[in-house]
Amino acid sequence: MPNHNNLPHVYVISLPRHHERRSLISKQLNRLGFNFEFIEGIDGSKLDSETLDKVDLEFCKKKFGHSMNNSEIGCALSHIKVYEKIIEERLESAIVLEDDAFLLSVLPAVLKSALKKQPNFELLYLFHGKAKSWPIKNRLPDGYRLAKYRYPSNKSKRCIIGAVGYVLSQSGAKRLLELAHPVRMPADYLTGYLQWHRLNTYGIEPNCIDTGHLDTTIPGRDYGVHIENNK
């Protein structure tokens, strides 16, 4: 079994009741030789009124055209919990995964190459939706490319949707945590609005992890259609 100790530590966000999901992703991470641990996710169905009262739903409605359900709020809080952990542990960087991530076998080699080519990243997407990048891309193993993403204009609603897997540096975690409270947007908006957080952001193309093989635990999502290619 390989052991990629020179790659960042992995935090897997997972609800305690997700035994099957935990088993599946544990097998993948062990097979690929990653060091990992589970971060207990925050169950949106169990949020108390004190927590919900601190959520700025009006900001979300005004800026993005839709609200957030409790599952989305719980997911956002779970990612924030990981940012706090990265800072607390003083990690140079860490891989953040949701427990429905499906890891391609090329991930260790591709990621190792990407980190070597761009050690000064703050946010590195392993899975993402559409993104605007600079035309020159670095070659990675197995036909993959490392893209540097461009900041849209401040008025743009362009967003990189996808928080199932990414790598975050210490400075990136600090910046996202600065913007995280009050909770006012889904987790992938916080990471995806480059024009807001201004992190040094890259992405591996095509995606080197996948998702969608398991049912979502965040029902009733009504965003995505709200993200237009406005400039």
Side-chain angles (χ1 to χ4, degrees):
M1 179 185 299
N3 190 344
H4 299 286
N5 288 319
N6 55 337
L7 284 174
H9 188 68
V10 178
Y11 290 116
V12 183
I13 298 170
S14 180
L15 296 176
R17 66 173 182 270
H18 287 173
H19 305 297
E20 182 180 358
R21 287 170 176 256
R22 290 190 175 208
S23 176
L24 287 172
I25 199 164
S26 293
K27 289 177 182 177
Q28 296 177 66
L29 288 163
N30 282 323
R31 175 174 55 84
L32 295 177
F34 284 99
N35 294 318
F36 69 96
E37 65 182 279
F38 288 101
I39 295 293
E40 186 171 321
I42 296 175
D43 192 336
S45 67
K46 297 180 180 179
L47 294 175
D48 56 35
S49 58
E50 183 179 356
T51 300
L52 292 173
D53 286 343
K54 295 177 182 177
V55 178
D56 191 349
L57 293 178
E58 289 305 313
F59 178 93
C60 193
K61 291 176 184 178
K62 183 177 180 179
K63 187 161 183 70
F64 307 122
H66 62 90
S67 187
M68 297 172 66
N69 62 39
N70 285 13
S71 295
E72 290 169 325
I73 295 169
C75 179
L77 289 168
S78 299
H79 281 262
I80 291 169
K81 192 174 180 180
V82 178
Y83 307 155
E84 293 171 339
K85 185 73 170 177
I86 293 171
I87 296 167
E88 177 187 342
E89 297 294 330
R90 299 182 180 179
L91 299 180
E92 184 176 327
S93 63
I95 300 169
V96 184
L97 298 177
E98 295 179 343
D99 64 4
D100 61 341
F102 180 82
L103 313 180
L104 303 187
S105 60
V106 299
L107 176 59
V110 170
L111 180 55
K112 188 182 299 183
S113 178
L115 295 177
K116 185 176 181 180
K117 289 180 181 293
Q118 189 46 249
N120 296 321
F121 80 99
E122 290 182 292
L123 175 61
L124 172 63
Y125 279 96
L126 307 176
F127 175 90
H128 52 81
K130 187 176 181 181
K132 291 184 68 175
S133 64
W134 295 100
I136 298 177
K137 302 180 183 182
N138 290 319
R139 293 184 179 182
L140 301 174
D142 297 293
Y144 284 82
R145 296 287 188 273
L146 178 64
K148 179 173 175 56
Y149 293 143
R150 301 169 60 183
Y151 300 139
S153 69
N154 290 335
K155 294 182 179 180
S156 173
K157 290 187 178 181
R158 182 184 289 272
C159 180
I160 302 175
I161 297 297
V164 69
Y166 54 95
V167 191
L168 192 63
S169 74
Q170 175 73 201
S171 62
K174 288 180 178 178
R175 176 58 177 162
L176 291 184
L177 192 58
E178 287 176 358
L179 299 170
H181 294 290
V183 174
R184 49 197 157 181
M185 63 186 73
D188 45 5
Y189 280 24
L190 183 59
T191 55
Y193 272 94
L194 276 59
Q195 61 271 42
W196 202 44
H197 60 60
R198 311 294 288 188
L199 294 181
N200 191 24
T201 304
Y202 290 79
I204 293 174
E205 298 180 351
N207 294 329
C208 55
I209 68 175
D210 203 358
T211 189
H213 59 294
L214 298 170
D215 291 336
T216 180
T217 58
I218 307 180
R221 287 181 175 180
D222 62 349
Y223 64 86
V225 295
H226 303 279
I227 305 304
E228 304 293 343
N229 295 330
N230 298 328
K231 299 181 181 180

